[in-house]
């Protein structure tokens, strides 16, 4: 694409963090050693570890940590370094990870990249979908889903602008029109997902430890139950609906503005009542 298209736009942005997979094996009876119906997060401001359950009773843990720095993958080399770091930062997890040192030493350290490019097609010959067009970091768990959505939209555009029923009458122009329309419909949503995934990394590693953040999440769940179909938390919209990513992000911002404005208004009203009561 870069060789064929003049002014092809391509951006490859790596996080300063890498990741390493570790394991919590099943218990002696094959059972899970932590709650299996949960995503476990150890938030540590600038880095974090997460654990996801597997059907065999184990958990796949992933450490997201800086490549470089005073405390980083680069400076943690020996078994003592690894043991000290985990005992200081994740003391509750260490007893569950008997293979920690071997996992840390032998498992590769991966990179985290966001790719944005434009356009996603070349004439009527080639069109990109999925990570080839818009790789995202994994913190919303939507990479594969976004690729499937690409396929759905591409199929819709081909059916609309270059239908197979037209037979030989379908020309390259029709197919290129379909590719162009697919790109226009999906590009804004792919960019929105890339932003959402990066924001969720900060949320997971930093904000989940905040009482204010957890209180806001509880309020989200309360409003979702009290106003079904009207108030939808961002995570719900992204994960459990087909609302386009850009629309979901915009709607979540609007909902937050309304909620915060309402809370401020209620607080001010309460203060006015208190002042009038005691004066």
């Amino acid at each position: 694409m870069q060789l064929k298209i003049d002014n092809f736009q391509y951006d490859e942005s790596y996080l300063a963090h890498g990741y390493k997979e570790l394991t919590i094996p099943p218990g002696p009876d094959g059972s899970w050693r932590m709650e299996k119906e949960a995503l476990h997060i150890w938030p540590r401001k600038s880095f974090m570890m997460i654990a996801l359950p597997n059907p065999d009773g184990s958990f796949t843990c992933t450490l997201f940590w800086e490549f470089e720095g005073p405390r980083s993958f680069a400076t943690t080399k020996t078994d003592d370094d690894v043991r000290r770091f985990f005992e200081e930062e994740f003391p509750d997890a260490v007893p569950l990870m008997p293979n920690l040192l071997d996992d840390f030493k032998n498992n590769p350290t991966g990179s985290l990249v966001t790719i944005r490019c434009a356009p996603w097609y070349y004439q009527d010959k080639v069109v990109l979908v999925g990570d080839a067009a818009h790789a995202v970091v994994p913190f919303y768990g939507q990479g594969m889903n976004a690729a499937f959505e690409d396929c759905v939209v591409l199929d819709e555009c081909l059916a609309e602008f270059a239908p197979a029923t037209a037979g030989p009458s379908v020309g390259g122009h029709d197919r290129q029109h379909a590719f162009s329309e697919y790109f226009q419909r999906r590009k804004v949503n792919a960019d929105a997902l890339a932003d959402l995934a990066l924001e969720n990394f900060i949320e997971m590693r930093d904000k989940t430890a905040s009482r204010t953040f957890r209180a806001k999440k509880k309020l989200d769940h309360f409003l979702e139950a009290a106003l079904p179909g009207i108030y939808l938390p961002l995570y719900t919209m992204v994960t459990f609906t087909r609302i386009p990513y850009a629309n979901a992000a915009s709607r979540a911002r609007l909902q937050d503005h309304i909620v915060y404005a309402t809370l401020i208004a209620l607080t001010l009203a309460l203060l006015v009542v208190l002042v009038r009561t005691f004066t």
Side-chain angles (χ1 to χ4, degrees):
M1 301 287 277
Q2 290 169 288
L3 297 177
K4 291 290 187 180
I5 302 175
D6 292 336
N7 299 317
F8 180 77
Q9 300 173 33
Y10 182 82
D11 178 73
E12 191 176 64
S13 178
Y14 286 85
L15 290 184
H17 296 68
Y19 71 92
K20 187 181 289 288
E21 290 193 349
L22 310 166
T23 303
I24 293 177
D29 60 352
S31 63
W32 292 271
R33 302 173 73 184
M34 300 187 297
E35 171 56 51
K36 66 180 185 294
E37 302 292 342
L39 162 63
H40 298 267
I41 306 176
W42 290 261
R44 296 297 184 267
K45 298 291 185 181
S46 65
F47 63 94
M48 69 175 178
M49 185 170 73
I50 67 172
L52 288 165
N54 298 312
D56 66 355
S58 67
F59 285 84
T60 297
C61 301
T62 309
L63 173 65
F64 297 96
W65 200 19
E66 291 95 334
F67 278 114
E68 304 288 341
R71 298 183 77 204
S72 63
F73 283 119
T75 59
T76 307
K77 298 296 187 182
T78 68
D79 287 354
D80 286 342
D81 291 339
V82 174
R83 189 181 296 108
R84 184 182 310 111
F85 170 70
F86 275 83
E87 287 177 348
E88 289 176 357
E89 297 293 345
F90 313 113
D92 56 329
V94 171
L96 306 177
M97 307 172 77
N99 302 318
L100 170 61
L101 297 180
D102 287 340
D103 285 348
F104 196 93
K105 183 187 304 181
N106 296 323
N107 292 350
T109 303
S111 299
L112 298 159
V113 63
T114 299
I115 292 176
R116 305 174 196 251
C117 66
W120 295 353
Y121 64 95
Y122 173 64
Q123 297 179 359
D124 65 327
K125 310 299 184 185
V126 176
V127 65
L128 303 179
V129 299
D131 283 357
H134 50 75
V136 296
V137 292
F139 302 108
Y140 238 111
Q142 287 290 303
M144 183 182 294
N145 187 71
F148 285 137
E149 288 189 3
D150 287 348
C151 295
V152 170
V153 175
L154 177 58
D155 186 61
E156 291 172 348
C157 291
L158 287 170
E160 184 175 351
F161 299 104
T165 54
S169 65
V170 174
H173 176 74
D174 300 309
R175 192 177 298 109
Q176 183 172 345
H177 187 185
F179 288 172
S180 175
E181 184 66 23
Y182 153 73
F183 168 67
Q184 296 299 327
R185 293 181 187 182
R186 289 297 295 160
K187 173 61 172 169
V188 64
N189 291 300
D191 286 346
L193 175 60
D195 293 336
L196 288 169
L198 291 168
E199 291 166 7
N200 213 42
F201 178 41
I202 297 172
E203 184 173 294
M204 291 171 69
R205 81 182 193 209
D206 190 346
K207 296 182 180 179
T208 51
S210 163
R211 291 182 179 178
T212 301
F213 174 82
R214 295 198 296 271
K216 173 59 167 58
K217 288 298 181 183
K218 290 180 180 178
L219 178 59
D220 281 343
H221 293 314
F222 170 78
L223 292 174
E224 182 180 17
L227 303 168
I230 298 174
Y231 187 95
L232 292 173
L234 177 60
Y235 185 83
T236 298
M237 288 189 281
V238 169
T239 307
F240 301 115
T241 77
R242 282 202 62 198
I243 296 173
Y245 297 121
N247 293 0
S250 177
R251 178 171 171 174
R253 287 192 295 270
L254 176 60
Q255 289 179 164
D256 283 346
H257 290 327
I258 293 172
V259 168
Y260 294 139
T262 301
L263 290 174
I264 291 172
L266 290 174
T267 301
L268 291 175
L270 179 60
L271 288 174
V272 169
V273 170
L274 290 174
V275 169
R276 289 180 176 178
T277 301
F278 295 101
T279 57

